[in-house]
Amino acid sequence: MRRTTSLFVLMTLFTGANLWLFAQGGPKGQPPTDAETPIGPRWWPSEFGPDDQRGAANRQTPAKVLEAKDLITEGKVYQLGRLYESEMPNFGKRHFSLTIPGLPTGKPQGKNQLVYNDELVSGEIGQVGTQFDGLGHIGVRVGTDDVFYNGFKLSEFGTSYGLEKLGVEKVGPFFARGVLLDMAGLKGERALPKGYVITPEDLQKALDAAKAEIRAGDVVLIHTGHGFWWMKDNKKYNDGEPGIGLAAAKWLTDKKISLVGSDTWATEAVPGEDPDRPFPVHQWLIVRHGVFNLENLDLSELAKDRVYQFAFVFSPLRLKGATGSPGNPIAVR
Amino acid sequence: MRRTTSLFVLMTLFTGANLWLFAQGGPKGQPPTDAETPIGPRWWPSEFGPDDQRGAANRQTPAKVLEAKDLITEGKVYQLGRLYESEMPNFGKRHFSLTIPGLPTGKPQGKNQLVYNDELVSGEIGQVGTQFDGLGHIGVRVGTDDVFYNGFKLSEFGTSYGLEKLGVEKVGPFFARGVLLDMAGLKGERALPKGYVITPEDLQKALDAAKAEIRAGDVVLIHTGHGFWWMKDNKKYNDGEPGIGLAAAKWLTDKKISLVGSDTWATEAVPGEDPDRPFPVHQWLIVRHGVFNLENLDLSELAKDRVYQFAFVFSPLRLKGATGSPGNPIAVR
Amino acid sequence: MRRTTSLFVLMTLFTGANLWLFAQGGPKGQPPTDAETPIGPRWWPSEFGPDDQRGAANRQTPAKVLEAKDLITEGKVYQLGRLYESEMPNFGKRHFSLTIPGLPTGKPQGKNQLVYNDELVSGEIGQVGTQFDGLGHIGVRVGTDDVFYNGFKLSEFGTSYGLEKLGVEKVGPFFARGVLLDMAGLKGERALPKGYVITPEDLQKALDAAKAEIRAGDVVLIHTGHGFWWMKDNKKYNDGEPGIGLAAAKWLTDKKISLVGSDTWATEAVPGEDPDRPFPVHQWLIVRHGVFNLENLDLSELAKDRVYQFAFVFSPLRLKGATGSPGNPIAVR
Amino acid sequence: MRRTTSLFVLMTLFTGANLWLFAQGGPKGQPPTDAETPIGPRWWPSEFGPDDQRGAANRQTPAKVLEAKDLITEGKVYQLGRLYESEMPNFGKRHFSLTIPGLPTGKPQGKNQLVYNDELVSGEIGQVGTQFDGLGHIGVRVGTDDVFYNGFKLSEFGTSYGLEKLGVEKVGPFFARGVLLDMAGLKGERALPKGYVITPEDLQKALDAAKAEIRAGDVVLIHTGHGFWWMKDNKKYNDGEPGIGLAAAKWLTDKKISLVGSDTWATEAVPGEDPDRPFPVHQWLIVRHGVFNLENLDLSELAKDRVYQFAFVFSPLRLKGATGSPGNPIAVR
């Protein structure tokens, strides 16, 4: 950390500090006025300690499990994960390929004539389809390095074969209260329009309408209705989305949640509040607060059944050094 | 080719219900004496109906969820999934590769200097590491076709880009009572030796020792201790294993369980009871009974803590048309 | 081969021969009238012997090399291969992904601060972009098996991890006379329209116009102009193409060529002559005659420079058990 | 370039120039005494111009083709490429996987019952097996950037999806005189031992024994015999190798060759002359001189037949943005 300090000093002195001369600002959409990094003052060490790599997953405690358990009254399970298929809408150049080697993969063997099939998958598996953003996914270029949650630097933990810190394998399972905020329902629309910036007031209204509460460690899922277009009109699905803005993100992090998710590919509004600042909510949640983000969920059944509080269970794959995880999270009421 | 000839004759003469005149046997390890298919009499239609593709996952009901919920008393969560890493022991020619495209994958953009990382994975993702065998994984060559659970024929549902029936995306989540049968503990050994065939009597003793019971729809996990060698001595890990035999498999399917799992790569003994019949337990469980199989679990913590009954939660990835799923199942007590 | 015979007898007797009752025909587009297989009379054993796996590559002899050498007069080299890139037009569900693990892949090491980059590729590498169809690529379902060049059966040589016969690694290099037939130039069009069926008369006219000749073992490249659309309008490129018909294919195989190539993705007309018979030219060339096929070539420079005879050099990658090879063939004059 | 200059000035002033205080040296194995970069004085702009991205491939001219042509007297072709297979010895964590999706990949269609197979490949395709090192493969960390051939900086041309400069697609074909230097033959050994550093004197002796000459633009292949162990004892193959040292590399670059290749995985001695400087010959050849490097060749037949001068032909795959290319180069006499 001392080295970091001197680096900052050096850069401020000799590089002219111009990396930090953006007008910057707080969570309301206005840039912060301080200037330590492109996203404001330094955010480390984490409230969970300077060595922490799990962020808000630390709020997953036995007490949370017991709280969540109490929300299970009917035993009904909702799958929130979407199908992984090659045609699904992907971000940028990401791809997903699934093939069956041979048919069958293993030819008949033995008197019992056993055959078997495998599947070969290639793709950005933690960042396609229903995806859980780990803490190694998002960072900020500060000077000549990329800084992530808890101040970890990519130059120190990144390798071509996986991340040596902040890998998704360190997160552990979520078994917590889940709260659905049905924004589409609140607005009486099938889907909020792309670019719609969900505000704290919106969230509060949905919470009130649900007669629900959000506690520390909870999982908050935001139903925008945008998921309706998944595999129906992938171009439309990918071409922008409604989602939370920075103020709403702050509203959530102030509540000390563990995880936020949505039926969109980024959880935050696209285009966002400031055209010069792409995906600022990702940075606010993941980099600054260690709060996780689940994208491309299917929340339609939950919303239809007006299930606003439930036990949420999701256990990320322990992909060593990965930036995220695919998943099929469940809500249980 | 003589076999082919007689096969053709047979097929032409009797092509209804009569493809199956091999000498065969029952679940005790001796070949069955009936002869309809290489693994005995035809096993379809399934008890869950002639169109069913979910097998014993049908036993996952709201009632099971509520039963499982009652086992959650402390809120402690155990991860049962292992790390996915390129060096892990794989079966045959399977591989697992994880790389990070670029470092970072997404270069700094915007005034907020956002960067991001993805991971690119290539591998037989449903059949490496901790893996859940779906109903499209295992079959039996019968005549010129490969027959799977509920009599589905690979020629009718297999495609190069995924299975059109029995795909893992159809299974749905497991939220059920879990029972640990600690065979290593029962024997007072770190690990049962490879080739050790676990019998019904063994299972019963472990069940009695655990003062537990097995109900329809339950998940049964068998701790052999063999998992000790994972990533410590991969050659030893892969070179055979202890596991259940056909009689124990029958004991389990008679109890109408949903899923069996183990800390080994096949759940069944390798080498098995009959050198001429590889992996007969897989066929018994998956093909005949639609009972799922979870392999390469880490059961050491459960065993150490003597947690014999718990809520088991696992939600397979909805990989469209896949034969299996990776996972990080959890046990909650 | 005797085994094959008895199989045919059996099938004729018991399956009722109805697999062979299609009206079938010769190379003129009319179906063959004989009935041994869906593509006419059996085509094996090959003229190169019953065990041959190299087909028309056997015509690549030292004498051909010396003939080709004599066409090198200026030393000018033309690259005929296209760029491999993820956006290129692919057939069906094939994909091509190239990423650089890390940047750099290998971090600085030693006092010399060495760094290195690799590239990770995933894709149907022998069947995307400029591609060479090997003899294991195309076959015909006959009864319950798939029959390929020289009568080899997929059930006997196919494995999930590569072909044990007819793999592209067995073909060897081509160093031969190359002849360009400029159909677009002949017609005075930028490109022949999709579905245009090139006839023997067309080919002869182009050959005459070129004042060239075709000898046994030669490589014939057909410039249709369709390649103009590559990466300019990929939808148009993929949505049909001009190409040779069965009669032109016969004209070529009668001349005992080794390889035919084109600036299209299939070399043959799409849609073809008979809507009920997709890609019959592939079968004629590859299955029946062991003549290879190079697709997605860039022939525009050769055509522009009116280079009609040249030394052609292409050396397929020795991908063990593969169905084809990527490539960057060259023409040298 | 001006930016580069100012960067250097800045770094020298503020970073204290201590990055350049290694003892360094020239091609004899002694470190250079100058200090501009970890591998000596800056090496750019290239003799081929400040924008050049093709390095010594610029020496591939029509005149070279005609020279090479004259070496073709018998028409005999030697394949120098090895089989690509999953078990081949790979460097580090690289892998190669080839599977056939389905068997067949394309099910019977049409009255002609067409079937087809594809292969799916995953792997570091330009850096496994017989491999051609492009100019984007090797670089040097200088300060905070990685500098490559002609001074190009990775921060400016590297992307996660391929290199925007120095990609292998820019190299073009090699059709030139090839010279085999049979070091194993010279020493009368099956293979030189690992770590053997081939000297300029060694090369000269082999050249004299071959009664051959090396001209500008030539391709030089060095037969060490180490290739004997390929797929016979892969551990031995990978665990070090004989190869050229820096002085021999200088001898080659002084002769203005285009490409050097060997029957080893690095062409240079491993372990090398200086334990603190891994793979310095790669840097000398590729970074400083733009001379290409072909690894894992099979030179045994050439050596056995005592073919010392021949036409060498190799056309790298045009993999956009790739660091290298697989290949099956040929020698023709």
Side-chain angles (χ1 to χ4, degrees), chain A residues 112 117 119 137 278 315 323 328, chain B residues 112 117 119 137 278 315 323 328:
Chain A
N112 52 337
N117 291 313
E119 63 280 295
H137 179 46
S315 184
T323 74
N328 183 18
Chain B
N112 53 339
N117 292 313
E119 63 281 295
H137 178 47
S315 185
T323 73
N328 183 16

Side-chain angles (χ1 to χ4, degrees), chain C residues 84 100 106 142 178-179 181 332:
Chain C
Y84 294 90
I100 311 287
V142 180
V179 176
L181 300 180
V332 190

